[in-house]
Amino acid sequence: MKKLYTLLLLLPTMLLAQNSKTACEVVNKINKLIQKEHVSPKPIDDSLSVFVFDNLIDQYDPSRNIFLRSEYNLLAKKYRLNIDNLILKNDCSFLNEMVSLYRNGLERKKLALEQLQLKTLNYNQNDTIRFYKKSFPIYMKENEIEKVWNKKIRFEVLNEIASSSSNLDSLQANFIILEPAAKEKIISNEICQTNSLLATESKPEESLYNFFCLYFDPHTSYFSNDSKSTFVASLSKEHFSMGLTVSLNDMNEIIISEINPNGPAFETGKLKKGDKITAVFNQKEKLEVSCSSLQAISNMITSESNKKITLSLQRNSGKIFDVFVEKKIMKDEENSVFSFIIGEESKVGYIKIPTFYADLDGTGAAGCAEDVAKEVYKLKKDNIKGLVIDLIDNGGGSMEEAIKLAGMFINTGIISIVVDKTQNQLLINDPYKGMLYKGPIVVLVNSNTASASEFFSAIMQDYNRALLLGSSTLGKATMQTILPLEENKMTDFLKLTINKFYRITGKSHQYNGVDPDVILPEFYENIYQKENNFPTAIKNDSIIPSVKFKPFVKRDLINHLAQNSAKRVAADDYFKNIKSINHTINELLDRSKTELPMTLLAIQKQNLITADLWEQINKYDATSNPLDVYNSTINKFLLGIYPTEKTINQYQIDNLKNNPYLNEAVNIINDYNTSR
C-alpha cells in the first residue's frame, strides 16, 4: 500500500515529464519541416527564445496581475535566452514550471478575490488607474496582491455603476444601494473565470507549437486534427451549422439574433429570437457564458468537431431551459457570392465576394469563381453597362479560386509570379482564353481585403482591367499549404508558408498592401491590424521579371477616372465626416497611457465620450441620393422558387441602398462610359 501511495504521488510529475518530452519531440518535428519547406526559414537561436518566452508570458498574464515580479524574474533568468537550447536538447520542462507558477498565481488571485468579497471597499480615496495599449512590465509584489486586486475591483464596480445610467446625480444619490450588487457581480464573475481556468486541462504544448511557428511568420501555425478540420471548413461555403446567428446586447449578454428557417435550431421548435444563451455544452465540456471568454464560447459553437451542442437558454428573465441541437451541413448565405443591379438607366452590375471559398471536400459544391461566373451571366442578360466587384472585408481563402477568377476577366497572359525558398520563379498563366465580361470594372477594397483577394486585385490593377477604389489592403502576398508532421500519422499538421507572390511588374504587395487608385476614408482605418503590424512578418521586396503583358486599356484612362473620382470624394461631406470621426478615435486611443481618476464622475465622463463616439459611428449613414438596387431578371425568378431566401435578399438590398462606396463606384463607371 505504501508503494502504491508513493506511486500515486509521483504520477502527476511523471505525466508532466512525459508530456514535456512529447512536446519537445513535436516542436523538433515542426522545426525540421519548417527548415525544409518554409520560404524563408530562420535559425533556432536566442531571438526565437525571447519571442516564444515573451509570448507565453503575455498569454498567461496579459494584464500583469497573475505572476509576481520575483516569479517572472526567476523564469526570465532561467529560460528567456535558453528555450532554443532546451528545445534542441529535447527538454521542454520549462512549460511545466511556467504552468505551475501560473496556476499558483490563479489560486492567489482567487484567494484575494474571496477576501475582497468580505471587505468594505473604500471609493473615496484619491487614486488613479492607467491603461496601456501594449504589454508592460510585471511589477506585482507578494505584499501588493490585495492592493492590486482591490484597485481593479473598485474600478470595475465604478465602471459597472457608471455604465448603468447617464444621470450622474441619480447614481451618486443611490451609490450605496447600487454598490453591493455591482461588487458581487464583478467579483463573482472574476472568481468564476478563475475557477474555469483552474478546472480546464492545460495544454501549454499547443501554445508552444504556435508561438514557435509564429516566429517564422504570422501565417505559419500548428493544427491538431480538430483545428485543421475547422480551418478547412472555413474555406467552404457549406459546413456544419446550427443555423442561428448570435449577437451581444447592451449588457454584453449573448442573444440569439436570427434563426434560419432551414436550420436544425429552427427545427427543434424550442428556440426564439431574443433568447439569451447562458451556457454551451458539447457533450464533454460545459462553458458558462458569465465566466468564459467569448472566444471560448465561439470556438465551441463553430468548431466542426462539435456536431452536437446543448444550449442553456433563458427567455424574458424566466427559468433556464436546455435545448439539444445537432448541426447539419448548410449553405452559408452570408458567406456566398451574390449580385444585384444598380440603376434603371445606367444598369451597373454589383457582385459581392465575401471569401474565396472552394470545394475542398469534393462534395461537388461550386467554388467562388464558378459562382461569380453564374452571377455575371445573369447580369449580362440584363445588359449591364459596367460591373462593381466588392472585396471589402474579404479575408481571402483559396488561391486556386482567385487564379480562376482573375482568368475570367483577363484576356490572356501571365497573371503572377511565384517564388519558392530556392528563388525559382514559376509563372502563373491565365487559365482561360478570352474574357467572361469585357465592360468597365471597379473593384472595392479596404484594410480587411487580404491574401487571395489582394492577389486578384493586384492582377486587375496591373492589367488596367479595373480601377481599385477604397483603402490600402492588408499586405499578405504569401501562400500556405497544410502538411502532416509525419506522413503516416494524421494527427499533427503544419500550415506552412511555402511561396511568395509577385506582381507581373516584379513588385510585391507583401507587408505594404495593394494601394487603390482612389483612396476612400473608412472607419477605424488606423486601427485595423495589418501585415506590417506583426513583428515577424516577411518584409517587402521585389524581383526583376521577364514578363511581357498587354494592358486592357491605357493607364491614362484609369488615371483620368481616378482624378475625377478623387475630386468628388474630397468634396463629399460623408467622407469628410469619416475623417473627422477617425481623428477623434485616434485621439481617444492616444490617451490610453494617461491616468484616469478613480471617481464615478471621471469614469462616467470617459464612458459617455466612448458611447457618444460609438453612437456617431453606428448611426452615421449616407441618406442622400439612395441607390436604386434590385435583382436581376433571373434572380427574381429564382426568388419565386426559393421564397425562404427573400429575407436575406431584402437585407442585402437595404444594406446597399445607402452605401457611399458603391455610389462612388457607380459614378466611376458612368464617367468611364461617357468618356469613351
Side-chain angles (χ1 to χ4, degrees):
M1 179 62 74
K2 186 176 181 181
K3 289 182 178 180
L4 177 60
Y5 179 71
T6 304
L7 180 61
L8 289 173
L9 287 176
L10 291 173
L11 190 57
T13 305
M14 292 165 63
L15 290 174
L16 284 173
Q18 183 62 39
N19 290 340
S20 167
K21 183 180 179 183
T22 303
C24 259
E25 288 174 354
V26 173
V27 172
N28 279 298
K29 289 174 185 175
I30 290 172
N31 182 45
K32 184 179 179 181
L33 193 55
I34 286 175
Q35 298 301 330
K36 179 183 177 184
E37 303 289 351
H38 195 278
V39 69
S40 183
K42 304 175 188 176
I44 307 303
D45 56 17
D46 286 354
S47 296
L48 176 138
S49 185
V50 169
F51 181 84
V52 170
F53 180 85
D54 288 351
N55 275 279
L56 285 169
I57 292 294
D58 286 344
Q59 174 184 270
Y60 285 127
D61 196 5
S63 300
R64 304 307 194 234
N65 51 30
I66 301 296
F67 289 126
L68 300 176
R69 181 192 294 176
S70 57
E71 292 171 335
Y72 170 78
N73 289 340
L74 173 67
L75 291 171
K77 184 178 180 181
K78 292 172 69 175
Y79 303 125
R80 194 165 185 262
L81 295 174
N82 200 30
I83 287 178
D84 57 320
N85 300 318
L86 292 170
I87 287 174
L88 293 175
K89 292 177 182 176
N90 240 26
D91 179 9
C92 288
S93 57
F94 61 90
L95 286 175
N96 302 334
E97 188 169 353
M98 291 183 81
V99 170
S100 178
L101 290 175
Y102 168 64
R103 293 182 68 83
N104 287 343
L106 290 176
E107 293 286 3
R108 271 197 309 264
K109 168 187 171 181
K110 182 180 174 181
L111 180 61
L113 290 168
E114 288 171 342
Q115 290 173 342
L116 285 173
Q117 276 183 315
L118 306 174
K119 292 185 177 181
T120 300
L121 303 183
N122 179 9
Y123 298 92
N124 296 318
Q125 63 192 83
N126 291 327
D127 208 347
T128 58
I129 193 165
R130 179 177 294 179
F131 299 95
Y132 294 84
K133 286 191 285 187
K134 295 183 179 180
S135 60
F136 50 98
I138 289 176
Y139 59 86
M140 193 168 66
K141 297 179 182 178
E142 189 149 15
N143 60 353
E144 296 175 343
I145 296 170
E146 184 179 336
K147 177 183 175 182
V148 167
W149 281 104
N150 184 305
K151 184 173 183 176
K152 184 178 189 303
I153 296 302
R154 278 188 290 122
F155 172 78
E156 294 292 347
V157 170
L158 289 170
N159 189 50
E160 174 78 11
I161 294 172
S163 302
S164 64
S165 171
S166 59
N167 188 331
L168 180 64
D169 291 337
S170 174
L171 292 180
Q172 289 177 327
N174 293 287
F175 185 82
I176 296 176
I177 299 171
L178 296 170
E179 190 272 346
K183 176 189 169 189
E184 178 59 28
K185 176 183 176 182
I186 297 299
I187 295 181
S188 293
N189 282 346
E190 284 282 358
I191 291 174
C192 185
Q193 290 173 15
T194 305
N195 284 333
S196 179
L197 290 170
L198 286 167
T200 302
E201 183 183 352
S202 180
K203 293 185 178 179
E205 63 275 8
E206 291 201 12
S207 297
L208 172 63
Y209 305 158
N210 277 312
F211 292 140
F212 185 92
C213 292
L214 187 62
Y215 174 72
F216 294 90
D217 77 279
H219 309 289
T220 293
S221 58
Y222 165 83
F223 280 157
S224 65
N225 197 35
D226 284 349
S227 56
K228 172 181 171 286
S229 298
T230 300
F231 173 77
V232 170
S234 72
L235 300 180
S236 171
K237 67 174 178 179
E238 294 184 342
H239 49 264
F240 281 98
S241 171
M242 288 193 287
L244 56 81
T245 304
V246 299
S247 60
L248 292 178
N249 64 10
D250 294 337
M251 302 295 292
N252 281 326
E253 296 169 328
I254 300 178
I255 302 297
I256 295 177
S257 53
E258 297 290 342
I259 303 176
N260 190 323
N262 298 319
F266 181 85
E267 290 171 357
T268 66
K270 298 178 181 179
L271 284 81
K272 288 187 178 181
K273 187 176 177 179
D275 286 349
K276 181 174 74 172
I277 299 176
T278 62
V280 183
F281 177 53
N282 67 351
Q283 318 310 309
K284 295 179 182 178
E285 176 188 10
K286 187 173 185 177
L287 295 179
E288 299 288 343
V289 171
S290 63
C291 60
S292 300
S293 69
L294 289 176
Q295 184 64 46
I297 298 290
S298 174
N299 288 344
M300 183 173 285
I301 290 175
T302 60
S303 173
E304 286 285 304
S305 61
N306 295 328
K307 295 183 174 64
K308 296 179 180 180
I309 294 287
T310 298
L311 299 174
S312 293
L313 302 156
Q314 187 176 34
R315 184 173 299 154
N316 301 325
S317 301
K319 187 178 179 181
I320 292 175
F321 60 99
D322 290 343
V323 177
F324 173 80
V325 182
E326 186 167 358
K327 297 178 184 177
K328 72 176 186 180
I329 292 179
M330 295 184 63
K331 179 181 177 183
D332 188 349
E333 296 290 351
E334 293 186 356
N335 203 28
S336 302
V337 167
F338 60 86
S339 71
F340 293 104
I341 297 176
I342 317 298
E344 289 288 349
E345 294 182 10
S346 61
K347 283 193 176 181
V348 174
Y350 168 87
I351 296 180
K352 175 66 177 179
I353 308 176
T355 64
F356 282 85
Y357 51 82
D359 177 25
L360 297 179
D361 294 327
T363 59
C368 162
E370 184 179 337
D371 282 348
V372 170
K374 291 175 183 175
E375 298 307 314
V376 171
Y377 173 80
K378 296 173 188 176
L379 296 170
K380 285 172 65 176
K381 283 288 185 180
D382 284 322
N383 299 313
I384 58 169
K385 306 300 181 185
L387 180 63
V388 178
I389 298 176
D390 189 347
L391 298 180
I392 287 176
D393 294 333
N394 183 321
S398 168
M399 288 300 300
E400 184 179 351
E401 292 296 318
I403 291 169
K404 288 179 183 177
L405 191 66
M408 292 177 184
F409 296 105
I410 302 300
N411 189 29
T412 187
I414 307 299
I415 58 174
S416 185
I417 306 166
V418 180
V419 174
D420 61 18
K421 68 176 296 183
T422 65
Q423 300 305 307
N424 284 333
Q425 294 185 15
L426 173 67
L427 303 181
I428 299 180
N429 284 283
D430 176 354
Y432 310 114
K433 289 185 178 180
M435 290 184 287
L436 179 67
Y437 176 72
K438 297 180 180 180
I441 299 174
V442 172
V443 176
L444 295 176
V445 296
N446 75 338
S447 298
N448 284 333
T449 301
S451 193
S453 52
E454 292 179 280
F455 174 85
F456 171 80
S457 302
I459 295 167
M460 298 290 278
Q461 188 178 54
D462 288 339
Y463 269 92
N464 295 342
R465 185 62 189 92
L467 183 145
L468 267 57
L469 179 67
S471 48
S472 295
T473 62
L474 182 132
K476 178 180 179 291
T478 58
M479 186 178 78
Q480 289 71 41
T481 190
I482 299 177
L483 299 172
L485 290 187
E486 297 180 74
E487 289 185 10
N488 300 321
K489 192 177 180 183
M490 300 291 122
T491 54
D492 300 286
F493 301 85
L494 204 60
K495 179 164 72 76
L496 183 63
T497 300
I498 58 169
N499 295 117
K500 293 192 288 184
F501 284 94
Y502 292 84
R503 299 169 71 150
I504 49 177
T505 60
K507 295 180 180 179
S508 171
H509 60 264
Q510 171 62 25
Y511 198 80
N512 298 332
V514 178
D515 292 324
D517 301 299
V518 179
I519 295 176
L520 296 183
E522 64 174 328
F523 284 124
Y524 316 115
E525 59 190 13
N526 295 323
I527 299 175
Y528 286 121
Q529 189 173 44
K530 294 192 174 185
E531 187 81 359
N532 57 22
N533 295 128
F534 292 100
T536 59
I538 295 172
K539 300 297 188 289
N540 182 268
D541 63 355
S542 59
I543 58 175
I544 299 174
S546 56
V547 175
K548 293 182 180 180
F549 62 98
K550 184 180 179 181
F552 181 71
V553 296
K554 291 183 178 179
R555 191 67 202 174
D556 290 348
L557 175 58
I558 301 292
N559 291 339
H560 170 72
L561 296 171
Q563 288 168 5
N564 290 348
S565 176
K567 290 177 184 177
R568 286 191 296 269
V569 171
D572 191 288
D573 288 338
Y574 179 89
F575 294 118
K576 286 180 183 177
N577 288 334
I578 286 182
K579 289 182 178 180
S580 174
I581 292 173
N582 277 339
H583 180 71
T584 305
I585 292 171
N586 294 336
E587 282 189 331
L588 195 63
L589 289 174
D590 288 339
R591 287 192 220 131
S592 63
K593 288 188 178 180
T594 60
E595 292 184 333
L596 178 70
M598 293 263 287
T599 65
L600 195 62
L601 174 63
I603 293 171
Q604 190 193 52
K605 183 179 178 182
Q606 182 84 349
N607 288 351
L608 289 175
I609 292 171
T610 306
D612 179 64
L613 184 60
W614 185 246
E615 187 175 0
Q616 286 184 58
I617 294 169
N618 282 340
K619 289 187 176 180
Y620 192 57
D621 206 353
T623 54
S624 60
N625 301 320
L627 294 166
D628 182 15
V629 183
Y630 57 96
N631 289 291
S632 63
T633 303
I634 295 176
N635 278 343
K636 284 180 186 175
F637 172 75
L638 292 173
L639 281 173
I641 300 175
Y642 304 106
T644 57
E645 296 187 6
K646 286 184 178 180
T647 301
I648 191 168
N649 180 266
Q650 189 59 50
Y651 173 79
Q652 291 164 343
I653 288 175
D654 292 341
N655 276 347
L656 289 175
K657 281 183 177 178
N658 292 311
N659 186 319
Y661 303 92
L662 177 56
N663 185 65
E664 181 51 31
V666 171
N667 288 337
I668 291 169
I669 288 175
N670 290 336
D671 192 9
Y672 176 96
N673 288 327
T674 57
S675 64
R676 295 288 283 175

CSV table of all heavy atoms in Angstrom, one decimal, residues 10-25 90-96:
chain,number,residue,atom,x,y,z
A,10,LEU,N,3.8,10.4,-7.2
A,10,LEU,CA,4.8,10.6,-8.3
A,10,LEU,C,4.1,10.7,-9.6
A,10,LEU,O,4.7,11.3,-10.6
A,10,LEU,CB,5.8,9.5,-8.3
A,10,LEU,CG,6.8,9.5,-7.1
A,10,LEU,CD1,7.7,8.3,-7.2
A,10,LEU,CD2,7.7,10.8,-7.1
A,11,LEU,N,2.9,10.1,-9.8
A,11,LEU,CA,2.3,10.0,-11.1
A,11,LEU,C,2.1,11.4,-11.8
A,11,LEU,O,2.5,11.5,-13.0
A,11,LEU,CB,0.9,9.3,-10.9
A,11,LEU,CG,0.3,8.9,-12.2
A,11,LEU,CD1,1.2,8.0,-13.0
A,11,LEU,CD2,-1.1,8.2,-12.0
A,12,PRO,N,1.6,12.4,-11.1
A,12,PRO,CA,1.4,13.7,-11.9
A,12,PRO,C,2.8,14.2,-12.4
A,12,PRO,O,2.9,14.7,-13.5
A,12,PRO,CB,0.9,14.7,-10.8
A,12,PRO,CG,0.2,13.8,-9.8
A,12,PRO,CD,1.0,12.5,-9.8
A,13,THR,N,3.8,14.1,-11.6
A,13,THR,CA,5.2,14.5,-12.0
A,13,THR,C,5.7,13.7,-13.2
A,13,THR,O,6.2,14.3,-14.2
A,13,THR,CB,6.2,14.4,-10.8
A,13,THR,OG1,5.7,15.1,-9.7
A,13,THR,CG2,7.5,15.0,-11.2
A,14,MET,N,5.4,12.4,-13.1
A,14,MET,CA,5.8,11.6,-14.2
A,14,MET,C,5.1,11.9,-15.5
A,14,MET,O,5.7,11.9,-16.6
A,14,MET,CB,5.6,10.1,-13.9
A,14,MET,CG,6.5,9.6,-12.7
A,14,MET,SD,5.9,8.0,-12.0
A,14,MET,CE,6.0,6.9,-13.5
A,15,LEU,N,3.8,12.2,-15.4
A,15,LEU,CA,3.0,12.6,-16.6
A,15,LEU,C,3.4,13.9,-17.2
A,15,LEU,O,3.5,14.0,-18.4
A,15,LEU,CB,1.5,12.6,-16.2
A,15,LEU,CG,0.8,11.3,-15.9
A,15,LEU,CD1,-0.6,11.5,-15.4
A,15,LEU,CD2,0.8,10.4,-17.1
A,16,LEU,N,3.7,14.9,-16.3
A,16,LEU,CA,4.2,16.1,-16.8
A,16,LEU,C,5.5,16.0,-17.5
A,16,LEU,O,5.7,16.6,-18.6
A,16,LEU,CB,4.4,17.1,-15.6
A,16,LEU,CG,3.1,17.7,-15.0
A,16,LEU,CD1,3.4,18.5,-13.8
A,16,LEU,CD2,2.4,18.6,-16.1
A,17,ALA,N,6.4,15.2,-17.0
A,17,ALA,CA,7.7,14.9,-17.6
A,17,ALA,C,7.5,14.3,-19.0
A,17,ALA,O,8.2,14.6,-20.0
A,17,ALA,CB,8.6,14.0,-16.7
A,18,GLN,N,6.5,13.3,-19.0
A,18,GLN,CA,6.3,12.6,-20.3
A,18,GLN,C,5.7,13.6,-21.3
A,18,GLN,O,6.1,13.6,-22.5
A,18,GLN,CB,5.3,11.5,-20.0
A,18,GLN,CG,5.0,10.6,-21.3
A,18,GLN,CD,6.2,9.9,-21.9
A,18,GLN,OE1,7.0,9.5,-21.1
A,18,GLN,NE2,6.3,9.9,-23.2
A,19,ASN,N,4.7,14.4,-20.9
A,19,ASN,CA,4.2,15.4,-21.8
A,19,ASN,C,5.2,16.4,-22.3
A,19,ASN,O,5.2,16.9,-23.4
A,19,ASN,CB,3.0,16.2,-21.1
A,19,ASN,CG,1.8,15.3,-20.9
A,19,ASN,OD1,1.6,14.3,-21.5
A,19,ASN,ND2,1.0,15.7,-19.9
A,20,SER,N,6.1,16.8,-21.4
A,20,SER,CA,7.2,17.7,-21.7
A,20,SER,C,8.1,17.1,-22.8
A,20,SER,O,8.4,17.8,-23.8
A,20,SER,CB,8.0,18.0,-20.5
A,20,SER,OG,9.2,18.7,-20.8
A,21,LYS,N,8.4,15.9,-22.7
A,21,LYS,CA,9.2,15.2,-23.7
A,21,LYS,C,8.5,15.1,-25.0
A,21,LYS,O,9.1,15.4,-26.1
A,21,LYS,CB,9.6,13.8,-23.2
A,21,LYS,CG,10.6,13.0,-24.1
A,21,LYS,CD,10.9,11.7,-23.6
A,21,LYS,CE,11.8,10.9,-24.6
A,21,LYS,NZ,12.1,9.5,-24.1
A,22,THR,N,7.2,14.8,-25.0
A,22,THR,CA,6.4,14.7,-26.2
A,22,THR,C,6.3,16.0,-26.9
A,22,THR,O,6.4,16.1,-28.1
A,22,THR,CB,5.0,14.1,-25.9
A,22,THR,OG1,5.1,12.9,-25.2
A,22,THR,CG2,4.2,14.0,-27.2
A,23,ALA,N,6.2,17.1,-26.1
A,23,ALA,CA,6.1,18.4,-26.6
A,23,ALA,C,7.3,18.8,-27.4
A,23,ALA,O,7.3,19.3,-28.5
A,23,ALA,CB,5.8,19.4,-25.5
A,24,CYS,N,8.5,18.5,-26.8
A,24,CYS,CA,9.7,18.8,-27.5
A,24,CYS,C,9.9,18.0,-28.8
A,24,CYS,O,10.5,18.5,-29.7
A,24,CYS,CB,10.9,18.6,-26.5
A,24,CYS,SG,11.5,20.1,-25.8
A,25,GLU,N,9.5,16.8,-28.7
A,25,GLU,CA,9.6,15.9,-29.9
A,25,GLU,C,8.8,16.5,-31.1
A,25,GLU,O,9.2,16.6,-32.2
A,25,GLU,CB,9.1,14.5,-29.6
A,25,GLU,CG,10.1,13.7,-28.8
A,25,GLU,CD,9.5,12.4,-28.3
A,25,GLU,OE1,8.3,12.1,-28.6
A,25,GLU,OE2,10.2,11.6,-27.7
A,90,ASN,N,15.8,18.5,-26.5
A,90,ASN,CA,14.6,17.8,-26.2
A,90,ASN,C,14.1,17.9,-24.7
A,90,ASN,O,13.5,17.0,-24.2
A,90,ASN,CB,14.8,16.3,-26.5
A,90,ASN,CG,13.8,15.8,-27.6
A,90,ASN,OD1,13.3,16.6,-28.4
A,90,ASN,ND2,13.5,14.5,-27.6
A,91,ASP,N,14.3,19.1,-24.2
A,91,ASP,CA,13.9,19.3,-22.8
A,91,ASP,C,12.9,20.5,-22.8
A,91,ASP,O,13.3,21.7,-22.8
A,91,ASP,CB,15.2,19.7,-21.9
A,91,ASP,CG,14.8,20.0,-20.5
A,91,ASP,OD1,13.6,19.8,-20.1
A,91,ASP,OD2,15.7,20.4,-19.7
A,92,CYS,N,11.7,20.2,-22.6
A,92,CYS,CA,10.6,21.3,-22.6
A,92,CYS,C,10.0,21.4,-21.2
A,92,CYS,O,8.8,21.7,-21.0
A,92,CYS,CB,9.6,21.0,-23.6
A,92,CYS,SG,10.1,21.3,-25.3
A,93,SER,N,10.8,21.0,-20.2
A,93,SER,CA,10.2,21.0,-18.8
A,93,SER,C,9.9,22.4,-18.3
A,93,SER,O,9.2,22.6,-17.4
A,93,SER,CB,11.2,20.3,-17.9
A,93,SER,OG,12.5,21.0,-17.9
A,94,PHE,N,10.5,23.5,-19.1
A,94,PHE,CA,10.2,24.8,-18.7
A,94,PHE,C,8.7,25.1,-18.7
A,94,PHE,O,8.1,25.9,-18.0
A,94,PHE,CB,10.9,25.8,-19.6
A,94,PHE,CG,10.6,25.7,-21.0
A,94,PHE,CD1,9.5,26.5,-21.6
A,94,PHE,CD2,11.3,24.9,-21.9
A,94,PHE,CE1,9.2,26.4,-22.9
A,94,PHE,CE2,11.0,24.8,-23.2
A,94,PHE,CZ,9.9,25.5,-23.8
A,95,LEU,N,7.9,24.4,-19.6
A,95,LEU,CA,6.5,24.5,-19.7
A,95,LEU,C,5.8,24.2,-18.4
A,95,LEU,O,4.9,24.8,-17.9
A,95,LEU,CB,5.9,23.7,-20.8
A,95,LEU,CG,6.2,24.1,-22.3
A,95,LEU,CD1,5.6,23.0,-23.2
A,95,LEU,CD2,5.5,25.4,-22.5
A,96,ASN,N,6.3,23.1,-17.8
A,96,ASN,CA,5.7,22.6,-16.5
A,96,ASN,C,5.9,23.7,-15.4
A,96,ASN,O,5.0,23.9,-14.6
A,96,ASN,CB,6.4,21.3,-16.1
A,96,ASN,CG,6.2,20.2,-17.1
A,96,ASN,OD1,5.3,20.2,-17.9
A,96,ASN,ND2,7.1,19.3,-17.2
